[in-house]
C-alpha cells in the first residue's frame, strides 16, 4: 500500500524524515509547493500520513499540557477516504524500524479534531517507546524532556 506524507520546508533535514523518504512505499510532499500534486495523488491511490508536530491552528493535550498543532494537516486528513496514519522511524543503531499507526481506517470518516487527538496519542506513545529520539529542540516542546516523559508514564 502506498502512503503520502506531508511535511513543511525546513523539516526535510530531520533524519527521521530522510528515513521516511527512503521507504519504497512512501512519497513525501512539501506542504507549500506540492499540495496540489498531493491531492491528485490521493485521489489515485494511497493513504495520507501526517508528520507534523508543531504549528498553529488546533489546541490539543500533550502530556497534560495544551499545545498547538497545524490545523491544515488535520483538515486535509479529514478529507481522506483511504485512511490516515501516524508514521515514525525508530532508530535501531545503524538501521530503522518504520512504525505505522492507523488513525482513521480506510473507508471511515473522522473529523479533524478527532484525528488531531488520535495523532497526539500516537505521538506520545512513540515518545514513550523512544524518548531519546524525539526532536526536543522545537518550541513549544523544550519543556518536555525525556526524564519528564518517564516521570509522567
Amino acid at each position: 500500500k502506498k502512503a503520502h506524507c506531508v511535511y513543511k520546508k525546513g523539516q526535510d533535514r530531520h533524519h527521521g524524515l530522510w528515513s521516511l523518504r527512503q521507504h519504497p512505499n512512501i512519497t513525501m510532499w512539501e506542504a507549500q509547493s506540492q499540495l496540489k500534486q498531493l491531492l491528485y495523488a490521493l485521489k489515485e491511490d494511497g493513504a495520507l500520513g501526517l508528520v507534523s508536530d508543531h504549528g498553529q491552528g488546533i489546541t490539543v493535550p500533550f502530556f497534560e499540557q495544551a499545545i498547538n498543532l497545524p490545523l491544515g494537516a488535520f483538515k486535509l486528513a479529514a478529507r481522506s477516504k483511504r485512511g490516515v496514519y501516524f508514521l515514525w522511524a525508530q532508530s535501531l543503531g545503524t538501521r530503522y524500524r518504520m512504525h505505522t499507526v492507523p488513525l482513521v481506517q480506510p473507508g471511515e470518516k473522522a473529523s479533524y479534531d478527532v484525528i488531531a487527538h488520535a495523532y497526539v496519542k500516537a505521538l506520545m506513545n512513540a515518545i514513550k517507546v523512544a524518548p531519546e529520539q524525539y526532536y526536543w529542540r522545537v518550541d513549544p516542546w523544550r519543556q518536555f524532556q525525556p526524564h519528564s516523559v518517564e516521570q509522567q508514564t
Side-chain angles (χ1 to χ4, degrees):
K1 185 85 174 154
K2 185 80 169 166
H4 300 281
C5 296
V6 181
Y7 70 95
K8 283 197 173 189
K9 196 175 222 169
Q11 290 179 330
D12 51 346
R13 292 183 303 258
H14 187 273
H15 195 70
L17 290 180
W18 180 84
S19 299
L20 287 173
R21 186 173 278 137
Q22 302 306 310
H23 196 282
N25 293 329
I26 298 174
T27 302
M28 301 294 290
W29 302 90
E30 200 280 315
Q32 296 299 316
S33 64
Q34 297 179 316
L35 193 56
K36 190 173 185 177
Q37 296 97 315
L38 166 66
L39 293 173
Y40 286 125
L42 282 173
K43 285 182 182 179
E44 294 298 317
D45 187 30
L48 177 65
L50 301 175
V51 293
S52 58
D53 67 355
H54 64 283
Q56 298 298 318
I58 185 169
T59 302
V60 292
F62 177 80
F63 292 113
E64 300 180 17
Q65 299 289 322
I67 54 100
N68 286 309
L69 294 178
L71 184 59
F74 298 105
K75 283 189 171 185
L76 179 61
R79 294 176 55 178
S80 176
K81 296 176 183 167
R82 300 177 193 254
V84 179
Y85 302 87
F86 175 83
L87 309 171
W88 67 285
Q90 180 182 9
S91 176
L92 302 173
T94 59
R95 301 177 319 127
Y96 284 88
R97 173 178 292 140
M98 301 306 299
H99 294 266
T100 305
V101 180
L103 302 180
V104 179
Q105 294 292 336
E108 290 182 6
K109 241 1 204 164
S111 65
Y112 67 85
D113 56 330
V114 168
I115 297 169
H117 282 83
Y119 180 89
V120 169
K121 182 179 178 182
L123 174 62
M124 290 190 301
N125 287 337
I127 291 169
K128 289 174 186 177
V129 169
E132 71 283 358
Q133 288 185 214
Y134 189 67
Y135 202 46
W136 295 103
R137 74 171 190 83
V138 179
D139 281 329
W141 313 100
R142 289 182 188 175
Q143 63 183 313
F144 304 107
Q145 296 299 316
H147 64 276
S148 300
V149 174
E150 291 168 6
Q151 291 172 357
Q152 295 180 27
T153 59

